[in-house]
Amino acid sequence: MDVNTADLELAARCATGDGEAFEQLYRRHAGRLYNLARRMMGTTEDAEDVIQNVFLQAHRTMGTFRGDASIGTWLYRLATNVCLDHLRSRATRNAQITDEFEDGAPGDDFATNSAGPVMGVLDRMDLERALANLPDGCRAVF
């Protein structure tokens, strides 16, 4: 049985509420997703929070998994989106808190810096995605 078929069967079992299947899914993918979250979020605590949210969302939305990609790819994309949402909300909260302490509107420097962590993550992810699309020989160079 190939990995994609196993993933489809695992996803189908998870969608029916099979706790053992969900535990298998977690054990199979949590490490890779945690590494992604740790890179994107910058702290262990934030990465752990994000991974918890990723698997909660995965549990709630497993029925929407169509099998167009592997379950690992679906979870990776879900984790990426949760991280980006978290970073955006953090930037928004920081901007609101800073606005409360400043008399005027934030200057251009502040607007640029508040998006810095999100844009850095997006740039890194764009680079990783571009590298993933290269042929094996070209990718090995990087």
Side-chain angles (χ1 to χ4, degrees), residues 12-80:
R13 287 177 46 209
C14 289
T16 63
D18 184 340
E20 185 178 312
F22 195 77
E23 184 177 343
Q24 268 186 303
L25 182 79
Y26 177 84
R27 290 183 190 277
R28 187 179 294 176
H29 298 283
R32 182 171 154 246
L33 298 178
Y34 174 79
N35 290 334
L36 168 70
R38 181 66 177 88
R39 282 192 327 264
M40 289 182 71
M41 302 309 301
T43 68
T44 301
E45 295 80 19
D46 285 344
E48 289 171 353
D49 288 345
V50 163
I51 292 305
Q52 183 177 8
N53 287 334
V54 166
F55 280 99
L56 283 172
Q57 281 190 8
H59 189 271
R60 290 181 188 134
T61 61
M62 189 58 68
T64 66
F65 177 69
R66 297 179 306 213
D68 295 339
S70 72
I71 191 76
T73 302
W74 183 75
L75 287 169
Y76 195 89
R77 188 70 220 160
L78 180 63
T80 300

Side-chain angles (χ1 to χ4, degrees), residues 3 12 16 21 24-25 41 69 71 76 86-87 93 97 99 102-104 110 112-115 117 123 129 133:
V3 173
T16 63
Q24 268 186 303
L25 182 79
M41 302 309 301
I71 191 76
Y76 195 89
H86 188 74
L87 287 169
R93 279 192 313 270
I97 290 170
D99 286 347
E102 293 180 355
D103 292 331
F110 178 78
T112 303
N113 291 337
S114 68
D123 291 342
R129 190 175 303 116
N133 289 328

